[in-house]
Amino acid sequence: MEESLTFLEKIKETFSLGEIDLKTYSPLTLAFIGDAVFELIIRTAEVAKGNRDVNSLHKSKSRIVNATVQAKISELLLPELTEEELAYFKRGRNAKSHTTAKNASVGDYRKATGLEALFGYLYLSGQEERMFKLTEIGLEKAGISI
């Protein structure tokens, strides 16, 4: 029986991409991809609830995918993180970004960037199950159901 490829493995195979050294990537690069991955998880969960109009889907997604909520989730996840995961979170949180969120404090924006960097690291290192588990734990601890 042929083993199926993960989403990341399929992307790498399709576009002939090589392995990467995540330690050489800037935390903002990791946050760039982590933002998309976190949003894809939440969007997928919302769409799986059933066919709805796009405005409704956007509102449902936006109640979770925003700097304030992501900052709260990151704080609640801190005790759950391994030393390596915590290091990637801190690198993202401490990165000097030239942009800020429209509706969040600088502190919340930085914590959200830390969470996104962590998710970028987990995704690019092939740790999808861990990424899903942390999403589940974070949403549960924040009292958010999807």
Side-chain angles (χ1 to χ4, degrees):
M1 177 181 253
E2 187 178 319
E3 190 174 318
S4 64
L5 298 175
T6 67
F7 187 64
L8 175 62
E9 290 168 335
K10 189 65 178 169
I11 292 170
K12 286 181 174 183
E13 180 184 272
T14 301
F15 298 102
S16 302
L17 305 176
E19 293 302 313
I20 56 174
D21 181 4
L22 291 176
K23 289 182 173 51
T24 65
Y25 275 52
S26 81
L28 295 178
T29 298
L30 294 175
F32 173 78
I33 191 73
D35 175 45
V37 171
F38 184 76
E39 185 160 331
L40 181 60
I41 292 169
I42 302 305
R43 282 180 180 235
T44 301
E46 290 297 334
V47 168
K49 291 179 185 177
N51 192 27
R52 299 186 317 219
D53 66 278
V54 175
N55 189 43
S56 171
L57 289 167
H58 177 73
K59 285 180 182 177
S60 293
K61 181 268 306 178
S62 294
R63 73 184 173 87
I64 301 169
V65 182
N66 67 70
T68 303
V69 173
Q70 286 174 278
K72 180 180 179 179
I73 290 170
S74 72
E75 290 172 351
L76 295 168
L77 281 178
L78 288 178
E80 307 290 332
L81 302 181
T82 66
E83 284 184 37
E84 187 169 28
E85 291 167 347
L86 183 59
Y88 278 96
F89 168 78
K90 286 180 177 180
R91 282 181 61 206
R93 182 196 62 198
N94 297 336
K96 301 296 185 243
S97 175
H98 298 291
T99 60
T100 58
K102 289 182 258 182
N103 301 309
S105 70
V106 171
D108 281 354
Y109 185 73
R110 287 190 168 182
K111 289 174 194 171
T113 302
L115 182 70
E116 292 166 352
L118 170 61
F119 271 63
Y121 156 71
L122 291 172
Y123 171 71
L124 291 173
S125 63
Q127 298 182 63
E128 290 180 1
E129 288 303 316
R130 180 66 175 157
M131 189 175 57
F132 296 136
K133 187 65 178 172
L134 288 175
T135 302
E136 180 182 36
I137 292 168
L139 292 174
E140 183 178 304
K141 283 186 168 193
I144 299 169
S145 62
I146 53 175

